[in-house]
């Protein structure tokens, strides 16, 4: 079974405004989120690509209201408890109630800045899947870990924590995002990315099942641009992208269409 190409846009907290000949970063706003969504709605998109965008939580409903049907919205995070006194958190049921069908989890900015560990991320993954929400599960190594040859160990232990809690992988998309490539302009080479994607797939085959290994989308994230996406998309084990900075610009359309 061919895996459907998948492109996610991670708006993070900020938005890049495209002016004439210059760009600058600002925090997302009602106006800028509508502008980006207008750009996506008006573009001709490869109908074979699954597209999911992840605006800041405050704008999830706005985004759902404006984004055209057929394209989906992801939260950037969700909590692992169903309800209760958890100030500042959002539950899986609240996402579903708002027609938000996906969530990112385990993004390195949350693992590092907010100190979310593998167990917590896995527990949130289980909660999302149990509630019927798809999960874009992010994993990846730091530069130091890569330089000491720990890349595969780091990524597989992040995945192992999920395996211990989750049986059904059909709604998981794995995003391999080397931390040193995120927001740095330093994209992993096609060989570096393919090598890790292939290692993740063989881990899935050995530790989960051949079917899950065959069917799970493994997407790449980290400085993906309209310039490097074509070559990356031709790699056997790269099934799409998770795009940060470039998802806020017209380049996102080229990335969605990179597999044409
Ligand atoms: P980037 O971010 O494309 O800006 O490097 C990717 C991500 O953090 O998901």
């Amino acid at each position: 079974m061919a895996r459907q190409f998948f492109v996610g846009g991670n708006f993070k907290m900020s938005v890049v405004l495209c002016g004439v000949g210059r760009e600058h970063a600002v925090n997302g706003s009602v106006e800028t989120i509508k502008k980006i969504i207008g750009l996506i709605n008006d573009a001709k998109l490869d109908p074979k690509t699954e597209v999911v965008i992840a605006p800041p939580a405050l704008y999830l409903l706005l985004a759902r209201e404006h984004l055209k049907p057929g394209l989906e919205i992801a939260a950037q995070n969700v909590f692992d408890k169903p309800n209760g006194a958890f100030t500042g958190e959002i539950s899986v049921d609240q996402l579903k109630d708002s027609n938000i069908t996906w969530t990112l989890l385990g993004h390195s900015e949350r693992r590092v800045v907010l100190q979310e560990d593998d167990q917590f991320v896995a527990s949130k993954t289980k909660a999302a899947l149990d509630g019927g929400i798809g999960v874009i599960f992010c994993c990846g190594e730091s530069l130091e870990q890569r330089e000491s040859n720990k890349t595969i160990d780091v990524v597989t232990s992040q995945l192992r924590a999920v395996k211990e809690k989750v049986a059904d992988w059909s709604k998981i998309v794995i995003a391999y995002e080397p931390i040193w490539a995120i927001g740095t302009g330093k994209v992993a080479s096609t060989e570096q990315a393919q090598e890790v994607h292939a290692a993740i797939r063989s881990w899935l085959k050995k530790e989960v099942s051949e079917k899950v290994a065959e069917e799970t989308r493994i997407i790449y994230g980290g400085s993906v641009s309209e310039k490097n996406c074509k070559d990356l998309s031709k790699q056997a084990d790269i099934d799409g992208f998770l795009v940060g900075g470039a998802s806020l610009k017209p380049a996102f359309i080229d990335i969605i269409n990179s597999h044409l």
Side-chain angles (χ1 to χ4, degrees), residues 50-233:
E50 186 169 0
V51 178
V52 177
I53 58 166
L58 183 59
Y59 303 115
L60 287 169
L61 278 168
L62 176 83
R64 185 58 284 167
E65 190 189 321
H66 288 271
L67 188 67
K68 68 181 173 193
L71 308 181
E72 297 294 318
I73 313 266
Q76 294 178 12
N77 182 35
V78 74
F79 201 47
D80 64 343
K81 305 288 185 295
N83 53 56
F86 301 108
T87 302
E89 294 297 330
I90 293 178
S91 74
V92 173
D93 279 351
Q94 287 169 333
L95 293 183
K96 281 202 299 192
D97 181 44
S98 307
N99 288 324
I100 309 304
T101 50
W102 286 87
T103 183
L104 298 183
L105 284 172
H107 192 281
S108 61
E109 284 147 19
R110 296 200 64 87
R111 291 182 189 267
V112 176
V113 183
L114 292 138
Q115 300 185 6
E116 293 190 359
D117 63 17
D118 291 355
Q119 295 311 319
F120 188 38
V121 175
S123 169
K124 294 200 287 187
T125 303
K126 177 177 168 32
L129 296 170
D130 286 352
I133 297 271
V135 174
I136 302 170
F137 176 86
C138 307
C139 56
E141 81 289 0
S142 65
L143 186 57
E144 196 193 343
Q145 289 164 331
R146 170 160 285 267
E147 285 173 347
S148 47
N149 284 324
K150 293 201 187 107
T151 299
I152 307 299
D153 285 352
V154 170
V155 169
T156 52
S157 56
Q158 290 168 339
L159 287 164
R160 185 162 293 113
V162 172
K163 185 203 146 182
E164 280 160 12
K165 290 193 165 63
V166 161
D168 180 0
W169 288 68
S170 60
K171 280 181 176 259
I172 301 182
V173 168
I174 298 171
Y176 167 58
E177 297 204 301
I179 298 173
W180 48 271
I182 296 177
T184 56
K186 254 196 250 169
V187 66
S189 67
T190 48
E191 295 76 20
Q192 283 172 323
Q194 167 57 26
E195 188 191 5
V196 182
H197 284 231
I200 292 173
R201 204 173 301 288
S202 61
W203 181 88
L204 287 172
K205 187 171 171 185
K206 191 159 147 264
E207 301 283 335
V208 186
S209 73
E210 186 151 1
K211 182 171 156 56
V212 167
E214 211 29 64
E215 293 179 358
T216 303
R217 272 87 57 90
I218 307 174
I219 63 176
Y220 169 80
S223 297
V224 175
S225 72
E226 72 283 21
K227 295 193 184 74
N228 56 37
C229 61
K230 272 246 176 237
D231 279 348
L232 285 161
S233 77

